[in-house]
Amino acid sequence: MLYDVVIIGAGPAGLSAGLYAARARLNTLIIEKDVAGGQIVTTEEVANYPGSIENATGPSLVARMVEQAESFGAKRTTDTIKSVDFSGKIKVLKGEKADYETKTVIIATGATPKKIGCPGEKELTGRGVSYCATCDGAFFEDLEVFVVGGGDAAVEEAMFLTKFARKVTIIHRRDSLRAAKSIQEKAFANEKIHFMWDTVITELRGDELLESMVVKNLKTGEEKEIFADENDGTFGVFVFVGYDPATQLFEGIINMEKGYIITDDKMATNIPGVFAAGDNRVKPLRQVVTATSDGAIAATQAEKYIEENIFE
Amino acid sequence: MIELNKDNFEEEVLKAEGTVLVDFWSPSCEPCKALMPFVHSLEEKYADKIKFTSLDITKARRVAIGQKVLGLPVIAIYQNGERIDSVVGDEATEKSVEELIKKYC
């Protein structure tokens, strides 16, 4: 089958593109890797998406977007794209399960959480080191938890973790937070939240569970080891230190800057018929609201491109 | 899929003979829930070789921590009561889970 639009990624950008494309009666397929929704499904509270109701969660918002895209006729499938051929007028995406032929492609692959990059991190993932507070928060009921990072995600997730943990310490490499002021105010007012400024984790240690970590003060250069409380035996380290764009598949094919796809204001990449939308793009603000906007623009531009080109 | 809890974990997993798969999950873990239908489909395929079980960690947090599970999702393989292999966190995909199962069939 030849699709009009194939969208890679089912986060807010991909789902919004799917909604607009299907509504324009384009034959639309959304390919998702595993979980629909992208980063937002691991977010407990979505307070800054205009129109999102009080208590909107990432999963509830995404579920509505999926329903809306499908109601206009967008099709969805689960597959992992292994390679792409953008050399011809018909673009080909090769997946693990099938190949897909399409007139246009919208790349909405998003970004994945960055790791700390220190020894012990990989071995202790799922054993005290986590990147998802909604997934793993409940394990740390009445235990001690550290949150690494100083942006919106780090501070919001730290507050979410106070529902479970006895004490939450934010470890940040600078001496002030980068998070929005309103979020900071809430964090400073929360008596369960403590701060460790100018500090990075240099090593995570433990046999089967996280038992200790080495932290370094960047201003004094002083290093010290922090051990789990003897009665607890372990503690949690939640990492929110930013994101890496999920664009490796397009390296050498599409123009990028530091791994982010370069587009014009119509979401067009350097290859005609290939568009990008969402967090994987060079842009000043990566939020649900800008992702959905990108998706809408990309889909309407894909429609325009199909109208202006002849496909045999 | 046998639903585990703090009362039957020992009998169904630790004291069980042969190979047992445990799907550690929680209702608030979206990646876990996305993976679950696929694990169910694998049960139909491999049920004669492996016993499939799942544990909602919110109902048995201490059991999970006792098994050194402090993050989700975890798909673990037990043989003779010992956890011998697993896929954890974002490494737990449809592909890696099926490969894990194939190793013990």
Side-chain angles (χ1 to χ4, degrees):
Chain A
M1 186 199 289
L2 177 62
Y3 289 98
D4 293 320
V5 187
V6 171
I7 298 156
I8 313 174
L15 292 169
S16 163
L19 160 66
Y20 273 79
R23 205 160 177 240
R25 294 281 173 265
L26 300 177
N27 186 1
T28 305
L29 178 70
I30 305 171
I31 301 176
E32 58 201 49
K33 205 159 82 178
D34 29 42
V35 191
Q39 296 158 40
I40 196 69
V41 295
T42 58
T43 305
E44 178 61 15
E45 194 190 317
V46 184
N48 58 358
Y49 185 63
S52 71
I53 46 164
E54 204 179 335
N55 298 328
T57 64
S60 69
L61 192 60
V62 160
R64 288 207 296 275
M65 288 182 187
V66 168
E67 202 179 306
Q68 202 177 1
E70 284 184 334
S71 75
F72 288 112
K75 291 187 268 303
R76 295 195 301 135
T77 190
T78 308
D79 201 350
T80 302
I81 301 302
K82 287 287 169 198
S83 67
V84 295
D85 183 354
F86 292 162
S87 59
K89 196 148 200 185
I90 304 291
K91 320 293 188 232
V92 184
L93 309 174
K94 293 192 160 87
E96 275 174 7
K97 294 178 186 167
D99 292 352
Y100 308 89
E101 292 188 344
T102 178
K103 295 174 186 170
T104 63
V105 177
I106 297 174
I107 303 169
T109 46
T112 52
K114 258 190 199 157
K115 317 253 155 160
I116 302 173
C118 72
E121 183 178 19
K122 190 175 185 303
E123 294 77 5
L124 290 164
T125 295
R127 295 172 180 275
V129 179
S130 175
Y131 307 89
C132 175
T134 51
C135 302
D136 301 336
F139 281 111
F140 297 92
E141 208 177 300
D142 212 29
L143 294 177
E144 197 171 335
V145 159
F146 296 83
V147 170
V148 188
D152 288 356
V155 181
E156 283 186 323
E157 300 303 317
M159 277 188 296
F160 171 71
L161 287 165
T162 60
K163 286 188 193 175
F164 308 99
R166 181 173 74 222
K167 179 183 174 190
V168 177
T169 304
I170 294 178
I171 300 180
H172 187 40
R173 64 192 161 103
R174 302 183 200 285
D175 59 10
S176 63
L177 298 173
R178 198 161 34 81
K181 287 285 179 289
S182 61
I183 302 171
Q184 290 194 30
E185 283 165 16
K186 279 192 200 169
F188 289 130
N190 189 322
E191 56 187 27
K192 272 191 176 180
I193 294 186
H194 299 72
F195 295 90
M196 210 180 264
W197 303 109
D198 305 306
T199 302
V200 293
I201 296 177
T202 56
E203 192 177 347
L204 293 153
R205 293 174 179 169
D207 189 11
E208 287 182 299
L209 291 177
L210 179 60
E211 288 161 11
S212 76
M213 64 179 173
V214 182
V215 296
K216 183 178 179 179
N217 185 308
L218 294 175
K219 280 201 175 149
T220 63
E222 183 199 347
E223 279 194 313
K224 65 173 177 187
E225 188 166 7
I226 296 172
F227 293 89
D229 183 282
E230 230 174 89
N231 294 320
D232 297 342
T234 187
F235 60 97
V237 169
F238 285 78
V239 184
F240 303 100
V241 290
Y243 301 91
D244 286 321
T247 56
Q248 294 84 340
L249 191 58
F250 312 102
E251 261 167 34
I253 302 170
I254 286 175
N255 291 344
M256 297 192 214
E257 188 184 304
K258 292 177 181 164
Y260 290 94
I261 295 172
I262 300 169
T263 70
D264 60 14
D265 58 5
K266 293 172 176 168
M267 305 301 137
T269 68
N270 56 307
I271 298 174
V274 178
F275 303 84
D279 284 3
N280 57 11
R281 199 170 74 74
V282 176
K283 62 198 276 193
L285 179 66
R286 295 190 178 87
Q287 290 277 297
V288 176
V289 64
T290 62
T292 53
S293 162
D294 285 2
I297 295 168
T300 50
Q301 292 302 315
E303 182 189 10
K304 201 158 171 252
Y305 172 85
I306 292 167
E307 278 168 6
E308 287 168 356
N309 282 269
I310 298 156
F311 293 89
E312 293 299 312
Chain B
M1 244 11 201
I2 298 169
E3 271 187 45
L4 300 173
N5 55 50
K6 52 182 182 289
D7 299 319
N8 68 359
F9 188 86
E10 184 162 347
E11 190 185 320
E12 295 286 358
V13 181
L14 301 182
K15 288 187 176 165
E17 281 178 23
T19 308
V20 183
L21 175 145
V22 184
D23 183 343
F24 292 91
W25 71 288
S26 96
S28 62
C29 172
E30 294 299 321
C32 304
K33 287 192 285 184
L35 199 59
M36 195 153 275
F38 182 72
V39 179
H40 279 269
S41 77
L42 291 176
E43 183 181 18
E44 286 167 25
K45 231 162 129 182
Y46 298 101
D48 54 329
K49 297 183 180 88
I50 293 180
K51 180 163 93 175
F52 281 70
T53 68
S54 67
L55 180 75
D56 174 356
I57 68 103
T58 58
K59 291 182 181 144
R61 191 176 72 98
R62 281 174 201 288
V63 172
I65 295 174
Q67 295 303 306
K68 314 298 177 196
V69 171
L70 264 184
L72 298 176
V74 171
I75 308 287
I77 297 285
Y78 285 77
Q79 267 175 355
N80 303 319
E82 239 182 283
R83 177 174 159 186
I84 53 167
D85 209 344
S86 56
V87 287
V88 176
D90 60 5
E91 284 181 359
T93 61
E94 291 189 1
K95 200 175 159 202
S96 69
V97 171
E98 186 154 17
E99 278 168 7
L100 175 78
I101 288 169
K102 280 181 180 165
K103 270 203 266 177
Y104 300 99
C105 277

